[in-house]
Amino acid sequence: MQPDFDSELDNILGPRKIFHIMECEICGFDEIYFKDPETAQQIGVACEGCHYIKKFDF
Ligand SMILES: [Zn+2]
């Protein structure tokens, strides 16, 4: 069974808003950049097609 990508995003990034979306260079799916809804700082990037989630650390 496929793990729920959204709940993984919840675990790793927490509350978030979409900052912008690019086409993933690897799989062609949506590569989504997220920002913190409070501070508007970029918090991470994810691609569901690659099952890839990266949190930005400052
Ligand atoms: Zn991808």
Side-chain angles (χ1 to χ4, degrees):
M1 189 181 143
Q2 190 89 351
D4 186 331
F5 196 67
D6 270 337
S7 53
E8 281 188 53
L9 284 171
D10 283 342
N11 288 336
I12 296 169
L13 299 181
R16 63 200 177 277
K17 279 189 161 177
I18 291 174
F19 178 60
H20 68 106
I21 299 174
M22 292 174 59
E23 188 177 305
C24 178
E25 288 179 3
I26 297 155
C27 71
F29 199 76
D30 291 344
E31 183 179 51
I32 304 172
Y33 288 75
F34 295 101
K35 64 179 181 179
D36 187 298
E38 304 266 311
T39 65
Q41 270 207 323
Q42 280 195 66
I43 52 173
V45 59
C47 175
E48 188 169 357
C50 300
H51 210 93
Y52 166 75
I53 301 173
K54 178 168 171 50
K55 182 176 179 144
F56 298 150
D57 288 311
F58 294 100

